[in-house]
Amino acid sequence: MGANRLDGKVCAKKVESALNSRIRTLAEAGSQPHLAVVIVGDDPASHVYVRSKERACERLGIRSTRIDLPADTSFHEVLETVNSLNQDSDVDGILVQSPLPRGMDELAITDRILPEKDVDGFHPVNLGRLVQGRLDGLLPCTPAGVMYLLKDAELDLTGLKAVVLGRSRIVGMPMALLLAARGADATVTVVHSRTTNIKDHCRDADLIVAAVGRPEMVRSEWVKPGAIIVDVGINRVDDSSIDRGYRLCGDVEEEVESIASYMTPVPGGVGPMTIAMLMSNTVRAAEMRKTP
Ligand code: GUN
């Protein structure tokens, strides 16, 4: 018997339905949430992600403005773009798509976004609030989406041994904080490139969140029978047998599905939840800024 599917597409629809009434309430007060997305350069995957974010905005009646900057844009020009979006009272949320061109200081750009418009939840103020256990603000979208998916499946994480693979500021670190936060109450280990015996940590885990960007790194023999598996990875692997020349796969090999109790598909698992949480943060930012 295979794992129960943690279906991000279905769950994201629920998030969107719940947002509709909040967006209507904002409309009655004369305001429409407005997300500005800045994309620098022509990374193909980033363009696909940004297009998905725009489509979600269209579905929900959230205004979106996309600012496309060429790959040779200077750091100062990106900062100036952020400054002008900060000052634009009509813009509720600002997102600068990562990765930025090589050598550009992403943290300095994140620092510049006003915390109340930081719908990615990456600003030190928002991450600091998360460290303090204040979960009512703008939370990083992918980890928040994973928590929503687990909650929607009514999985009780209390006391579970959770292993987070990856320590990125976008996913791994905030994911570990959310899993360990009061209310979720998992016991969390963060595994990274310098960890010894990664396999043993995984094998001992009740819940694995894989966010390393390494195709099919987590093998069946790494997984305890009945574990919950969340695969954040979405990797392009060359495959000449497919017209487009590549296939998509996660950080977890598909065969794990026969061992796990619950598992996210790739694609259609965490990806749609990230976008749903971005929409949720944009609505929340609009509510915080526009309603008394
Ligand atoms: N690149 C990959 N994921 C993300 C994300 O959640 N936010 C931004 N800004 N860039 C990303």
Side-chain angles (χ1 to χ4, degrees), residues 207-235:
L207 163 67
I208 297 176
V209 180
V212 272
R214 290 184 55 185
E216 296 161 342
M217 174 178 158
V218 178
R219 328 285 309 181
S220 302
E221 62 272 22
W222 292 26
V223 175
K224 179 163 82 175
I228 302 162
I229 306 293
V230 175
D231 192 349
V232 178
I234 180 138
N235 307 292

PDB file of all heavy atoms in Angstrom, residues 207-235:
ATOM      1  N   LEU A 207       9.410  12.312  10.628  1.00  0.00           N
ATOM      2  CA  LEU A 207       9.035  13.279   9.585  1.00  0.00           C
ATOM      3  C   LEU A 207      10.315  13.793   8.947  1.00  0.00           C
ATOM      4  O   LEU A 207      11.252  14.186   9.662  1.00  0.00           O
ATOM      5  CB  LEU A 207       8.257  14.451  10.232  1.00  0.00           C
ATOM      6  CG  LEU A 207       8.114  15.740   9.431  1.00  0.00           C
ATOM      7  CD1 LEU A 207       7.244  15.531   8.193  1.00  0.00           C
ATOM      8  CD2 LEU A 207       7.488  16.840  10.296  1.00  0.00           C
ATOM      9  N   ILE A 208      10.374  13.750   7.626  1.00  0.00           N
ATOM     10  CA  ILE A 208      11.534  14.318   6.914  1.00  0.00           C
ATOM     11  C   ILE A 208      11.024  15.428   6.005  1.00  0.00           C
ATOM     12  O   ILE A 208      10.080  15.236   5.237  1.00  0.00           O
ATOM     13  CB  ILE A 208      12.255  13.254   6.053  1.00  0.00           C
ATOM     14  CG1 ILE A 208      12.821  12.131   6.935  1.00  0.00           C
ATOM     15  CG2 ILE A 208      13.372  13.887   5.222  1.00  0.00           C
ATOM     16  CD1 ILE A 208      13.458  10.978   6.145  1.00  0.00           C
ATOM     17  N   VAL A 209      11.634  16.595   6.114  1.00  0.00           N
ATOM     18  CA  VAL A 209      11.382  17.665   5.147  1.00  0.00           C
ATOM     19  C   VAL A 209      12.680  17.836   4.354  1.00  0.00           C
ATOM     20  O   VAL A 209      13.704  18.232   4.915  1.00  0.00           O
ATOM     21  CB  VAL A 209      10.997  18.993   5.832  1.00  0.00           C
ATOM     22  CG1 VAL A 209      10.741  20.071   4.782  1.00  0.00           C
ATOM     23  CG2 VAL A 209       9.766  18.814   6.720  1.00  0.00           C
ATOM     24  N   ALA A 210      12.636  17.497   3.085  1.00  0.00           N
ATOM     25  CA  ALA A 210      13.848  17.543   2.263  1.00  0.00           C
ATOM     26  C   ALA A 210      13.868  18.829   1.451  1.00  0.00           C
ATOM     27  O   ALA A 210      12.962  19.075   0.647  1.00  0.00           O
ATOM     28  CB  ALA A 210      13.892  16.326   1.341  1.00  0.00           C
ATOM     29  N   ALA A 211      14.875  19.648   1.686  1.00  0.00           N
ATOM     30  CA  ALA A 211      14.974  20.944   0.999  1.00  0.00           C
ATOM     31  C   ALA A 211      16.436  21.247   0.706  1.00  0.00           C
ATOM     32  O   ALA A 211      16.994  22.217   1.196  1.00  0.00           O
ATOM     33  CB  ALA A 211      14.342  22.039   1.862  1.00  0.00           C
ATOM     34  N   VAL A 212      17.035  20.375  -0.097  1.00  0.00           N
ATOM     35  CA  VAL A 212      18.457  20.548  -0.409  1.00  0.00           C
ATOM     36  C   VAL A 212      18.717  20.822  -1.888  1.00  0.00           C
ATOM     37  O   VAL A 212      19.794  21.254  -2.258  1.00  0.00           O
ATOM     38  CB  VAL A 212      19.294  19.309  -0.003  1.00  0.00           C
ATOM     39  CG1 VAL A 212      19.753  19.393   1.410  1.00  0.00           C
ATOM     40  CG2 VAL A 212      18.562  18.019  -0.263  1.00  0.00           C
ATOM     41  N   GLY A 213      17.726  20.558  -2.736  1.00  0.00           N
ATOM     42  CA  GLY A 213      17.934  20.763  -4.164  1.00  0.00           C
ATOM     43  C   GLY A 213      18.874  19.744  -4.787  1.00  0.00           C
ATOM     44  O   GLY A 213      19.592  20.066  -5.726  1.00  0.00           O
ATOM     45  N   ARG A 214      18.862  18.523  -4.254  1.00  0.00           N
ATOM     46  CA  ARG A 214      19.676  17.452  -4.854  1.00  0.00           C
ATOM     47  C   ARG A 214      18.761  16.319  -5.295  1.00  0.00           C
ATOM     48  O   ARG A 214      18.116  15.665  -4.459  1.00  0.00           O
ATOM     49  CB  ARG A 214      20.717  16.940  -3.855  1.00  0.00           C
ATOM     50  CG  ARG A 214      21.784  18.011  -3.633  1.00  0.00           C
ATOM     51  CD  ARG A 214      22.881  17.548  -2.745  1.00  0.00           C
ATOM     52  NE  ARG A 214      23.530  16.329  -3.186  1.00  0.00           N
ATOM     53  CZ  ARG A 214      24.472  15.708  -2.468  1.00  0.00           C
ATOM     54  NH1 ARG A 214      24.826  16.180  -1.295  1.00  0.00           N
ATOM     55  NH2 ARG A 214      25.036  14.625  -2.927  1.00  0.00           N
ATOM     56  N   PRO A 215      18.694  16.093  -6.622  1.00  0.00           N
ATOM     57  CA  PRO A 215      17.717  15.147  -7.155  1.00  0.00           C
ATOM     58  C   PRO A 215      17.792  13.778  -6.478  1.00  0.00           C
ATOM     59  O   PRO A 215      18.854  13.167  -6.423  1.00  0.00           O
ATOM     60  CB  PRO A 215      18.102  15.022  -8.640  1.00  0.00           C
ATOM     61  CG  PRO A 215      19.005  16.173  -8.938  1.00  0.00           C
ATOM     62  CD  PRO A 215      19.558  16.669  -7.648  1.00  0.00           C
ATOM     63  N   GLU A 216      16.664  13.364  -5.943  1.00  0.00           N
ATOM     64  CA  GLU A 216      16.482  11.995  -5.413  1.00  0.00           C
ATOM     65  C   GLU A 216      17.544  11.588  -4.402  1.00  0.00           C
ATOM     66  O   GLU A 216      17.926  10.422  -4.301  1.00  0.00           O
ATOM     67  CB  GLU A 216      16.427  10.998  -6.592  1.00  0.00           C
ATOM     68  CG  GLU A 216      15.212  11.273  -7.457  1.00  0.00           C
ATOM     69  CD  GLU A 216      15.287  10.689  -8.866  1.00  0.00           C
ATOM     70  OE1 GLU A 216      16.404  10.354  -9.312  1.00  0.00           O
ATOM     71  OE2 GLU A 216      14.235  10.593  -9.508  1.00  0.00           O
ATOM     72  N   MET A 217      17.979  12.541  -3.604  1.00  0.00           N
ATOM     73  CA  MET A 217      19.022  12.258  -2.606  1.00  0.00           C
ATOM     74  C   MET A 217      18.524  11.288  -1.525  1.00  0.00           C
ATOM     75  O   MET A 217      19.264  10.419  -1.069  1.00  0.00           O
ATOM     76  CB  MET A 217      19.440  13.574  -1.959  1.00  0.00           C
ATOM     77  CG  MET A 217      20.411  13.426  -0.818  1.00  0.00           C
ATOM     78  SD  MET A 217      20.848  15.059  -0.216  1.00  0.00           S
ATOM     79  CE  MET A 217      21.379  14.651   1.422  1.00  0.00           C
ATOM     80  N   VAL A 218      17.278  11.454  -1.123  1.00  0.00           N
ATOM     81  CA  VAL A 218      16.746  10.597  -0.054  1.00  0.00           C
ATOM     82  C   VAL A 218      16.256   9.289  -0.671  1.00  0.00           C
ATOM     83  O   VAL A 218      15.320   9.278  -1.476  1.00  0.00           O
ATOM     84  CB  VAL A 218      15.597  11.304   0.717  1.00  0.00           C
ATOM     85  CG1 VAL A 218      15.018  10.390   1.787  1.00  0.00           C
ATOM     86  CG2 VAL A 218      16.096  12.611   1.326  1.00  0.00           C
ATOM     87  N   ARG A 219      16.919   8.197  -0.324  1.00  0.00           N
ATOM     88  CA  ARG A 219      16.614   6.892  -0.912  1.00  0.00           C
ATOM     89  C   ARG A 219      15.695   6.110   0.030  1.00  0.00           C
ATOM     90  O   ARG A 219      15.601   6.424   1.220  1.00  0.00           O
ATOM     91  CB  ARG A 219      17.895   6.058  -1.117  1.00  0.00           C
ATOM     92  CG  ARG A 219      19.138   6.803  -1.418  1.00  0.00           C
ATOM     93  CD  ARG A 219      19.217   7.323  -2.811  1.00  0.00           C
ATOM     94  NE  ARG A 219      18.962   6.354  -3.859  1.00  0.00           N
ATOM     95  CZ  ARG A 219      19.022   6.666  -5.165  1.00  0.00           C
ATOM     96  NH1 ARG A 219      19.307   7.890  -5.551  1.00  0.00           N
ATOM     97  NH2 ARG A 219      18.785   5.754  -6.072  1.00  0.00           N
ATOM     98  N   SER A 220      15.093   5.077  -0.538  1.00  0.00           N
ATOM     99  CA  SER A 220      14.148   4.279   0.262  1.00  0.00           C
ATOM    100  C   SER A 220      14.786   3.764   1.547  1.00  0.00           C
ATOM    101  O   SER A 220      14.157   3.759   2.610  1.00  0.00           O
ATOM    102  CB  SER A 220      13.662   3.081  -0.538  1.00  0.00           C
ATOM    103  OG  SER A 220      13.068   3.513  -1.712  1.00  0.00           O
ATOM    104  N   GLU A 221      16.049   3.330   1.452  1.00  0.00           N
ATOM    105  CA  GLU A 221      16.677   2.727   2.638  1.00  0.00           C
ATOM    106  C   GLU A 221      17.014   3.761   3.709  1.00  0.00           C
ATOM    107  O   GLU A 221      17.461   3.408   4.799  1.00  0.00           O
ATOM    108  CB  GLU A 221      17.901   1.887   2.236  1.00  0.00           C
ATOM    109  CG  GLU A 221      19.028   2.615   1.564  1.00  0.00           C
ATOM    110  CD  GLU A 221      18.891   2.702   0.037  1.00  0.00           C
ATOM    111  OE1 GLU A 221      17.760   2.579  -0.472  1.00  0.00           O
ATOM    112  OE2 GLU A 221      19.909   2.928  -0.642  1.00  0.00           O
ATOM    113  N   TRP A 222      16.803   5.042   3.405  1.00  0.00           N
ATOM    114  CA  TRP A 222      17.012   6.099   4.397  1.00  0.00           C
ATOM    115  C   TRP A 222      15.753   6.357   5.238  1.00  0.00           C
ATOM    116  O   TRP A 222      15.782   7.171   6.157  1.00  0.00           O
ATOM    117  CB  TRP A 222      17.336   7.427   3.721  1.00  0.00           C
ATOM    118  CG  TRP A 222      18.638   7.524   3.016  1.00  0.00           C
ATOM    119  CD1 TRP A 222      19.373   6.514   2.470  1.00  0.00           C
ATOM    120  CD2 TRP A 222      19.372   8.729   2.780  1.00  0.00           C
ATOM    121  NE1 TRP A 222      20.499   7.024   1.904  1.00  0.00           N
ATOM    122  CE2 TRP A 222      20.532   8.371   2.077  1.00  0.00           C
ATOM    123  CE3 TRP A 222      19.145  10.078   3.094  1.00  0.00           C
ATOM    124  CZ2 TRP A 222      21.471   9.314   1.675  1.00  0.00           C
ATOM    125  CZ3 TRP A 222      20.071  11.012   2.689  1.00  0.00           C
ATOM    126  CH2 TRP A 222      21.233  10.623   1.991  1.00  0.00           C
ATOM    127  N   VAL A 223      14.651   5.735   4.851  1.00  0.00           N
ATOM    128  CA  VAL A 223      13.354   6.140   5.405  1.00  0.00           C
ATOM    129  C   VAL A 223      12.777   5.060   6.300  1.00  0.00           C
ATOM    130  O   VAL A 223      12.702   3.884   5.918  1.00  0.00           O
ATOM    131  CB  VAL A 223      12.371   6.474   4.245  1.00  0.00           C
ATOM    132  CG1 VAL A 223      10.978   6.783   4.776  1.00  0.00           C
ATOM    133  CG2 VAL A 223      12.901   7.651   3.433  1.00  0.00           C
ATOM    134  N   LYS A 224      12.354   5.488   7.475  1.00  0.00           N
ATOM    135  CA  LYS A 224      11.713   4.556   8.409  1.00  0.00           C
ATOM    136  C   LYS A 224      10.305   4.240   7.900  1.00  0.00           C
ATOM    137  O   LYS A 224       9.573   5.172   7.520  1.00  0.00           O
ATOM    138  CB  LYS A 224      11.647   5.233   9.796  1.00  0.00           C
ATOM    139  CG  LYS A 224      10.992   4.415  10.870  1.00  0.00           C
ATOM    140  CD  LYS A 224      11.338   4.952  12.247  1.00  0.00           C
ATOM    141  CE  LYS A 224      10.467   6.119  12.641  1.00  0.00           C
ATOM    142  NZ  LYS A 224      10.740   6.556  14.031  1.00  0.00           N
ATOM    143  N   PRO A 225       9.884   2.986   7.919  1.00  0.00           N
ATOM    144  CA  PRO A 225       8.522   2.682   7.475  1.00  0.00           C
ATOM    145  C   PRO A 225       7.501   3.505   8.271  1.00  0.00           C
ATOM    146  O   PRO A 225       7.603   3.621   9.486  1.00  0.00           O
ATOM    147  CB  PRO A 225       8.387   1.180   7.757  1.00  0.00           C
ATOM    148  CG  PRO A 225       9.791   0.663   7.691  1.00  0.00           C
ATOM    149  CD  PRO A 225      10.651   1.770   8.247  1.00  0.00           C
ATOM    150  N   GLY A 226       6.564   4.102   7.549  1.00  0.00           N
ATOM    151  CA  GLY A 226       5.524   4.891   8.204  1.00  0.00           C
ATOM    152  C   GLY A 226       5.885   6.356   8.408  1.00  0.00           C
ATOM    153  O   GLY A 226       5.073   7.137   8.923  1.00  0.00           O
ATOM    154  N   ALA A 227       7.076   6.766   7.996  1.00  0.00           N
ATOM    155  CA  ALA A 227       7.466   8.174   8.176  1.00  0.00           C
ATOM    156  C   ALA A 227       6.641   9.080   7.251  1.00  0.00           C
ATOM    157  O   ALA A 227       6.110   8.634   6.224  1.00  0.00           O
ATOM    158  CB  ALA A 227       8.954   8.347   7.886  1.00  0.00           C
ATOM    159  N   ILE A 228       6.562  10.350   7.656  1.00  0.00           N
ATOM    160  CA  ILE A 228       5.890  11.369   6.834  1.00  0.00           C
ATOM    161  C   ILE A 228       6.985  12.064   6.022  1.00  0.00           C
ATOM    162  O   ILE A 228       8.017  12.472   6.588  1.00  0.00           O
ATOM    163  CB  ILE A 228       5.179  12.407   7.737  1.00  0.00           C
ATOM    164  CG1 ILE A 228       4.159  11.717   8.649  1.00  0.00           C
ATOM    165  CG2 ILE A 228       4.542  13.510   6.914  1.00  0.00           C
ATOM    166  CD1 ILE A 228       3.740  12.585   9.852  1.00  0.00           C
ATOM    167  N   ILE A 229       6.764  12.186   4.715  1.00  0.00           N
ATOM    168  CA  ILE A 229       7.809  12.739   3.847  1.00  0.00           C
ATOM    169  C   ILE A 229       7.293  13.985   3.129  1.00  0.00           C
ATOM    170  O   ILE A 229       6.288  13.931   2.403  1.00  0.00           O
ATOM    171  CB  ILE A 229       8.258  11.702   2.781  1.00  0.00           C
ATOM    172  CG1 ILE A 229       8.673  10.385   3.445  1.00  0.00           C
ATOM    173  CG2 ILE A 229       9.376  12.280   1.911  1.00  0.00           C
ATOM    174  CD1 ILE A 229       9.917  10.451   4.298  1.00  0.00           C
ATOM    175  N   VAL A 230       7.993  15.085   3.323  1.00  0.00           N
ATOM    176  CA  VAL A 230       7.673  16.323   2.618  1.00  0.00           C
ATOM    177  C   VAL A 230       8.865  16.660   1.726  1.00  0.00           C
ATOM    178  O   VAL A 230       9.980  16.831   2.205  1.00  0.00           O
ATOM    179  CB  VAL A 230       7.401  17.477   3.610  1.00  0.00           C
ATOM    180  CG1 VAL A 230       7.182  18.776   2.862  1.00  0.00           C
ATOM    181  CG2 VAL A 230       6.207  17.141   4.495  1.00  0.00           C
ATOM    182  N   ASP A 231       8.599  16.731   0.435  1.00  0.00           N
ATOM    183  CA  ASP A 231       9.673  16.944  -0.538  1.00  0.00           C
ATOM    184  C   ASP A 231       9.553  18.351  -1.112  1.00  0.00           C
ATOM    185  O   ASP A 231       8.646  18.641  -1.904  1.00  0.00           O
ATOM    186  CB  ASP A 231       9.537  15.887  -1.648  1.00  0.00           C
ATOM    187  CG  ASP A 231      10.745  15.826  -2.546  1.00  0.00           C
ATOM    188  OD1 ASP A 231      11.613  16.713  -2.462  1.00  0.00           O
ATOM    189  OD2 ASP A 231      10.818  14.873  -3.356  1.00  0.00           O
ATOM    190  N   VAL A 232      10.466  19.224  -0.700  1.00  0.00           N
ATOM    191  CA  VAL A 232      10.428  20.616  -1.165  1.00  0.00           C
ATOM    192  C   VAL A 232      11.188  20.759  -2.486  1.00  0.00           C
ATOM    193  O   VAL A 232      11.005  21.706  -3.226  1.00  0.00           O
ATOM    194  CB  VAL A 232      11.028  21.559  -0.084  1.00  0.00           C
ATOM    195  CG1 VAL A 232      11.053  23.001  -0.546  1.00  0.00           C
ATOM    196  CG2 VAL A 232      10.248  21.445   1.228  1.00  0.00           C
ATOM    197  N   GLY A 233      12.021  19.776  -2.801  1.00  0.00           N
ATOM    198  CA  GLY A 233      12.872  19.886  -3.991  1.00  0.00           C
ATOM    199  C   GLY A 233      12.069  19.854  -5.271  1.00  0.00           C
ATOM    200  O   GLY A 233      11.056  19.160  -5.384  1.00  0.00           O
ATOM    201  N   ILE A 234      12.506  20.670  -6.225  1.00  0.00           N
ATOM    202  CA  ILE A 234      11.962  20.543  -7.583  1.00  0.00           C
ATOM    203  C   ILE A 234      13.146  20.753  -8.519  1.00  0.00           C
ATOM    204  O   ILE A 234      13.620  21.863  -8.695  1.00  0.00           O
ATOM    205  CB  ILE A 234      10.731  21.450  -7.821  1.00  0.00           C
ATOM    206  CG1 ILE A 234      10.189  21.284  -9.232  1.00  0.00           C
ATOM    207  CG2 ILE A 234      10.955  22.893  -7.501  1.00  0.00           C
ATOM    208  CD1 ILE A 234       8.679  21.228  -9.271  1.00  0.00           C
ATOM    209  N   ASN A 235      13.667  19.619  -8.986  1.00  0.00           N
ATOM    210  CA  ASN A 235      14.937  19.633  -9.719  1.00  0.00           C
ATOM    211  C   ASN A 235      14.703  19.265 -11.183  1.00  0.00           C
ATOM    212  O   ASN A 235      13.861  18.436 -11.496  1.00  0.00           O
ATOM    213  CB  ASN A 235      15.890  18.596  -9.102  1.00  0.00           C
ATOM    214  CG  ASN A 235      16.049  18.791  -7.608  1.00  0.00           C
ATOM    215  OD1 ASN A 235      16.616  19.771  -7.158  1.00  0.00           O
ATOM    216  ND2 ASN A 235      15.511  17.851  -6.821  1.00  0.00           N
TER     217      ASN A 235
END
